[in-house]
Amino acid sequence: MNKIIRISVQAGITVLSIAFIGISAVAQESPTYSRDVAPILQEKCATCHNPEGIGPMPLLNYAQVKPFATLIKDRTSKRIMPPWHLDPTVGIQQFKNDASLSDAQIATIGAWVDAGAPEGNPADLPAPIEFPSGAEWQLADQLGPPDMIIRSTPYDVIANGQDQWWTPNVPFEGLDKERWLKAAEFKPSYPLGKKVVHHGHAVLIPDNREEGGRRQVALARYGVGKSWEVYPEGTGMRVPSSGRIDWNLHYFPVGAEGPGDVVEVGLWFYPEDEQPELETIGEAMFRVDGLDGMARGQDIVIPPHGYQVLQGTHVLQSPAMIHSYRPHLHMRGRVMTMEAIFPDGRKEVLSQVDKYNHNWQVSYIYADETKPILPTGTVLQFTSVFDNTADNPINPDPEQWVVFGRRGVDEMSHAWLGITYLNEEQYQQAMAERRASQETLQLGQ
Ligand code: HEC
């Protein structure tokens, strides 16, 4: 305000009107930590940024937050934190697990930092909340304790080294008949496992290859940022009563060690006599490369200080419903776009992740009212962009040629889609329900 008045004095003639602007600016005083910023951090950051959480520093009080004010403004304004790396300007924007900040929240944090990050009056602080411990099932609030828990075998976590893979094969016991899975949650140990298990799969290999020949049932797939899956109402995964679990756990040493680490997966089933209408296969892999039929991602060759763009297309052989989208690239991956080209030629971006960061494997879980329902013959087209320049903040070495490989310093290019294939009748019904719900929405407005 001082500045405005000083200028206005120099300008002479417009003193009055400018002084008036100065006064109204004072009325909108700058945000304070206690009143404006603490509630945002409590809601959107504290689950990870607490002393036990996976965030590198706690952000629970003014003393903890103040030294990071500038960094917080930087990370939130670039939408790098909280980890929700979706492009908000294109594609579907309604999700069940949206963790992002609103534009208004980002602006509040920015204005607070610009004003010198004042504390304000501690009496304005929101009431402290208890956040769920990482040792608990996140879905328990919604679904109660799991009906069944399966466990990997113990692995001794090393502090330093390259990527480690742990792949025990464990009998699957405890069901006396086939059941329908409603939800699954993948839970590394806490706090150690949450820091070192980068991603993993628990896949059931049935004892009896049943009719229809299902050779594997992917009960749960995990990545930092994606730990659970709840299928939409009326949709479930058929789980045979016996078999073996193939665990595929990718541990990434981060300086912490401990013996006997065990990963758990919680399973929630539909009631015994209830069979959901739709059968899902859970998350399925869609390759993003031009070499269908060859080993995955073999055409990844990224030059030093260069870029590469890969595209992959998949024609749907039956109608399908997509529940979730989870791009998987490694450290040079920056963007992955999923588009639908409909049989009538219309093309639509369904989702685009434009700030991909390999530290995170976020699954974008569509809201029931907006999840894509696609007819037979739709082409799903995926585009991956790799950036091997020094501009990529997590590039370990822009001097290297980069090719396909399992290590984080090599590259991959695929998407995990939560998908349910439908028959024509189920498709017609799903579309009718979608139209009806849209009409209700419009009537309600
Ligand atoms: C799901 C867990 C999670 C949430 C939610 C989360 N963070 Fe983070 N944050 C992390 C992790 C893990 C890192 C370190 C790895 C990385 O940068 O991706 C990090 C890094 C950061 C950094 C950079 C620290 C550094 O020294 O480089 C800042 C700043 C930050 N977070 C602020 C926030 C703010 C502000 C929010 C809420 C608006 C938030 N985070 C929400 C987990 C989280």
Side-chain angles (χ1 to χ4, degrees):
M1 183 194 157
N2 284 344
K3 214 185 214 160
I4 293 174
I5 290 186
R6 227 178 300 126
I7 294 168
S8 65
V9 170
Q10 283 163 2
I13 308 169
T14 45
V15 167
L16 264 180
S17 63
I18 291 181
F20 180 72
I21 294 171
I23 288 163
S24 67
V26 169
Q28 287 183 335
E29 50 183 293
S30 55
T32 69
Y33 171 77
S34 303
R35 189 189 54 213
D36 307 293
V37 174
I40 302 175
L41 303 191
Q42 196 176 61
E43 183 196 340
K44 299 279 172 82
C45 323
T47 46
C48 297
H49 288 276
N50 69 64
E52 295 268 80
I54 60 172
M57 69 288 185
L59 295 175
L60 299 181
N61 56 46
Y62 184 66
Q64 289 170 349
V65 171
K66 177 78 203 303
F68 289 100
T70 311
L71 203 55
I72 289 173
K73 179 184 170 190
D74 177 76
R75 296 297 193 273
T76 53
S77 63
K78 293 178 181 156
R79 291 187 174 276
I80 293 171
M81 278 287 146
W84 185 262
H85 302 138
L86 195 83
D87 184 342
T89 66
V90 69
I92 297 164
Q93 297 296 332
Q94 291 79 30
F95 295 89
K96 289 183 178 170
N97 59 336
D98 192 344
S100 64
L101 294 173
S102 66
D103 289 341
Q105 288 174 320
I106 293 174
T108 300
I109 292 173
W112 170 69
V113 174
D114 292 345
E119 178 174 15
N121 182 355
D124 294 338
L125 282 170
I129 46 157
E130 259 186 54
F131 19 79
S133 148
E136 281 149 33
W137 297 102
Q138 291 180 39
L139 290 178
D141 275 353
Q142 194 184 330
L143 301 173
D147 299 318
M148 185 175 181
I149 298 172
I150 57 176
R151 294 185 175 84
S152 68
T153 55
Y155 165 75
D156 297 334
V157 174
I158 58 166
N160 298 299
Q162 296 214 18
D163 306 55
Q164 309 283 314
W165 285 273
W166 183 240
T167 56
N169 180 270
V170 182
F172 177 70
E173 295 156 335
L175 290 184
D176 41 8
K177 59 177 198 169
E178 171 179 292
R179 292 290 295 273
W180 288 84
L181 189 68
K182 185 196 184 87
E185 180 175 336
F186 197 104
K187 187 157 75 71
S189 69
Y190 182 77
L192 181 63
K194 288 257 157 120
K195 296 189 172 147
V196 294
V197 181
H198 183 267
H199 62 264
H201 311 278
V203 176
L204 171 60
I205 312 296
D207 276 341
N208 304 316
R209 306 282 163 84
E210 325 128 36
E211 280 171 52
R214 274 190 320 163
R215 316 185 67 165
Q216 54 173 39
V217 179
L219 295 177
R221 299 190 189 275
Y222 171 78
V224 178
K226 188 255 169 173
S227 54
W228 53 261
E229 194 118 30
V230 179
Y231 300 119
E233 201 53 46
T235 302
M237 187 190 288
R238 193 155 52 87
V239 179
S241 60
S242 67
R244 299 186 70 83
I245 304 287
D246 254 343
W247 289 90
N248 182 332
L249 302 174
H250 182 175
Y251 282 88
F252 191 78
V254 293
E257 60 189 340
D261 193 69
V262 169
V263 170
E264 295 182 325
V265 168
L267 303 173
W268 286 260
F269 296 108
Y270 281 91
E272 249 178 64
D273 41 10
E274 194 179 320
Q275 173 171 342
E277 247 166 275
L278 300 178
E279 174 173 358
T280 184
I281 56 170
E283 272 191 321
M285 182 194 286
F286 285 73
R287 294 168 39 163
V288 185
D289 56 37
L291 295 174
D292 218 19
M294 284 183 66
R296 178 154 53 95
Q298 283 212 340
D299 52 353
I300 300 178
V301 186
I302 318 170
H305 300 281
Y307 297 88
Q308 188 177 19
V309 179
L310 286 179
Q311 211 158 47
T313 53
H314 302 262
V315 182
L316 293 180
Q317 303 300 328
S318 71
M321 208 138 74
I322 299 178
H323 313 299
S324 59
Y325 175 49
R326 179 161 71 100
H328 186 90
L329 307 160
H330 287 180
M331 287 166 167
R332 274 72 172 198
R334 289 302 276 276
V335 181
M336 193 190 283
T337 312
M338 172 169 66
E339 289 165 285
I341 304 166
F342 292 92
D344 63 7
R346 238 172 353 109
K347 186 167 170 180
E348 187 182 320
V349 175
L350 300 177
S351 286
Q352 170 160 286
V353 166
D354 63 344
K355 294 170 283 290
Y356 183 81
N357 177 321
H358 184 50
N359 294 331
W360 297 99
Q361 306 290 308
V362 180
S363 173
Y364 299 89
I365 305 174
Y366 296 110
D368 284 336
E369 320 79 72
T370 54
K371 61 178 183 279
I373 304 172
L374 306 169
T376 307
T378 302
V379 179
L380 280 177
Q381 176 170 285
F382 298 86
T383 310
S384 305
V385 180
F386 298 96
D387 176 357
N388 193 19
T389 70
D391 277 349
N392 174 351
I394 65 164
N395 191 346
D397 184 0
E399 296 294 331
Q400 302 281 335
W401 282 88
V402 181
V403 296
F404 173 81
R406 291 206 300 172
R407 302 175 307 170
V409 294
D410 305 320
E411 269 307 329
M412 284 198 180
S413 180
H414 58 260
W416 290 103
L417 292 194
I419 191 161
T420 299
Y421 290 105
L422 310 173
N423 60 34
E424 286 302 330
E425 194 185 321
Q426 290 165 334
Y427 169 73
Q428 294 302 345
Q429 172 153 3
M431 287 305 284
E433 282 166 17
R434 171 66 54 88
R435 277 190 294 268
S437 78
Q438 279 167 350
E439 274 160 27
T440 327
L441 269 181
Q442 276 158 7
L443 284 178
Q445 273 168 4

